[in-house]
Amino acid sequence: MSTQKHYTGLIERYRDRLPVNETTRIISLNEGNTPLIQLQNIPRLIGKSVDIYVKFEGLNPTGSFKDRGMTMAVTKAVEAGSQAIICASTGNTSAAAAAYAARAGIKAFVLIPDGKIALGKLAQTLMYGAEIIQINGNFDKGMALVKEVAEHAPVTIVNSINPFRIDGQKTAAFEIVDELGFAPDYHCLPVGNAGNITAYWKGYKEYSTDSATHKAVTAKRPIMCGYQAAGAAPFVAGHMIDEPETIATAIRIGHPQSWDFAWAAQKESGGWFDKFTDEQILAAHKMLSQYEGIFCEPASATSLAGALHDIGSGKIPEGSKIVCTLTGNGLKDPDTAISQCAAAHPVTIEASLDAVKRVILDCL
Ligand code: AN7
């Protein structure tokens, strides 16, 4: 029998760098430990000598990176005696909050924008048993309401303004350094509320010092590249946006909550923000599926859209090692996936050997 300890989640793995002690009840679904996959075909296709790795966060228990933050936030909420959590969400946070609340045996309230949440996210959140409050307004409106409500009701906010969320999410940077043996040259992320870019930067900074001695163990940190959807790009505009719009509904956010932290990550790392159209995002989305067999959700592909653009222009030079975070699973948003493939709709034929054979021979 194997004596190897089975994986029990990111809090156990990185306990010495997270705010827990021996008596803390850990609320976990064995999140984290997601694959870092090196792209094989896309670099060849673009004719550039670069190592591009994708950190596929869509393989977390609820299908997005939010699980990293939620295991930590719900663990701390339960430790503090909270009976209920609340969040505003474009979909993934609500799914994660609902799942971890179910696991902990507490209540989850989620505020979602009316009609602008991907189908898979809604299905999950309903199944996990959260109280869904659909509002007549976008994510930013919901976030403002959640902050107000939390002052008047006994609920813990689990949006990324909760610092424990950032602590959980920083472990993705630890995993990357552990796996590669070094920090990458560039780290590319889709940016909405900017909690994740904040978390990765915190993680890379903390991991370059020993947790016990606080001595530097590696000096290298990546340049952070934050990419937004063109219709929802406050970091590129340099100011908040009131009517954000993009097909990548996960990042349809105009008033990012981690504004100052994200600017700090950009400045300290020597990185940049940029924006890409829905067409560019969807092209990267499809490319990942069709050339690498990796199906992420549209918002996630913004990281690759940005990386490919900046590799093409030479801003990211050849020889670089690049990590793109793919924040969510493609199954989250089946509608956008299917509508992208309209031209290749399945043909219906007669159920005979001849008919099937003809289709195959026509294709080859
Ligand atoms: C797939 O679920 O804000 O910049 O409410 O679901 O840390 O906000 C989701 C954000 C990127 C942006 N990719 O991350 C929510 C929510 C996916 C996402 C982001 C989100 P942040």
Side-chain angles (χ1 to χ4, degrees):
M1 221 164 86
S2 165
T3 52
Q4 204 184 347
K5 198 166 170 274
H6 66 272
Y7 183 78
T8 50
L10 60 86
I11 296 181
E12 288 302 347
R13 180 169 178 190
Y14 294 111
R15 199 169 243 288
D16 60 332
R17 293 178 181 270
L18 292 168
V20 288
N21 59 43
E22 307 73 49
T23 61
T24 308
R25 177 186 159 211
I26 311 292
I27 311 297
S28 171
L29 289 164
N30 297 20
E31 56 294 308
N33 201 25
T34 55
L36 187 66
I37 308 167
Q38 184 165 10
L39 300 188
Q40 294 178 342
N41 301 315
I42 292 176
R44 211 171 49 226
L45 210 71
I46 61 172
K48 296 281 185 179
S49 159
V50 281
D51 289 338
I52 309 175
Y53 301 85
V54 294
K55 180 71 170 158
F56 194 14
E57 291 287 278
L59 294 183
N60 273 298
T62 79
S64 89
F65 73 99
K66 304 285 182 180
D67 294 346
R68 288 184 187 275
M70 211 53 77
T71 182
M72 200 63 243
V74 174
T75 290
K76 293 305 278 186
V78 168
E79 187 176 53
S82 181
Q83 293 294 312
I85 57 175
I86 190 167
C87 65
S89 178
T90 57
N92 280 327
T93 301
S94 62
Y100 284 82
R103 187 78 163 167
I106 62 172
K107 195 109 198 122
F109 297 94
V110 306
L111 269 74
I112 57 170
D114 189 5
K116 292 282 185 179
I117 149 169
L119 195 64
K121 303 175 189 181
L122 189 61
Q124 296 178 279
T125 309
L126 286 164
M127 281 299 283
Y128 295 135
E131 292 296 329
I132 300 184
I133 305 164
Q134 197 152 194
I135 60 159
N136 212 332
N138 62 21
F139 168 86
D140 300 309
K141 179 80 186 146
M143 191 65 239
L145 269 168
V146 161
K147 286 195 213 168
E148 240 182 291
V149 168
E151 284 180 17
H152 298 96
V155 287
T156 304
I157 299 181
V158 293
N159 281 102
S160 56
I161 55 171
N162 178 330
F164 298 124
R165 276 277 311 274
I166 304 296
D167 270 327
Q169 285 171 216
K170 74 186 178 189
T171 60
F174 299 170
E175 288 178 15
I176 290 165
V177 175
D178 281 344
E179 187 157 346
L180 292 176
F182 48 80
D185 301 311
Y186 295 87
H187 193 116
C188 306
L189 284 155
V191 172
N193 257 312
N196 216 24
I197 195 167
T198 300
Y200 271 91
W201 184 238
K202 185 167 196 254
Y204 282 121
K205 284 202 294 188
E206 288 183 10
Y207 226 42
S208 56
T209 57
D210 185 277
S211 65
T213 64
H214 300 289
K215 290 220 173 76
V217 288
T218 157
K220 192 174 157 202
R221 295 167 187 176
I223 289 169
M224 303 298 291
C225 307
Y227 299 128
Q228 302 207 278
F235 284 102
V236 182
H239 56 78
M240 302 293 175
I241 294 204
D242 282 336
E243 299 292 336
E245 207 45 80
T246 168
I247 195 158
T249 52
I251 52 172
R252 189 169 164 267
I253 295 169
H255 289 240
Q257 297 298 311
S258 294
W259 182 257
D260 293 338
F261 291 126
W263 281 114
Q266 177 265 321
K267 289 197 181 78
E268 291 170 24
S269 74
W272 57 84
F273 294 107
D274 205 347
K275 61 178 180 182
F276 297 93
T277 63
D278 284 357
E279 290 69 30
Q280 287 172 300
I281 293 169
L282 291 180
H285 182 226
K286 200 163 180 181
M287 210 174 172
L288 267 170
S289 288
Q290 307 218 324
Y291 293 105
E292 301 285 356
I294 300 168
F295 185 30
C296 65
E297 68 170 283
S300 309
T302 311
S303 58
L304 183 71
L308 293 180
H309 177 271
D310 289 340
I311 292 164
S313 73
K315 196 168 181 181
I316 295 179
E318 293 210 50
S320 296
K321 296 188 189 308
I322 305 147
V323 173
C324 295
T325 299
L326 300 182
T327 43
N329 197 296
L331 297 171
K332 294 271 192 178
D333 192 350
D335 294 322
T336 306
I338 291 168
S339 69
Q340 275 227 75
C341 301
H345 252 334
V347 281
T348 307
I349 54 157
E350 195 193 319
S352 73
L353 174 63
D354 259 6
V356 177
K357 204 171 88 187
R358 214 172 312 124
V359 172
I360 293 171
L361 294 177
D362 280 353
C363 275
L364 293 175

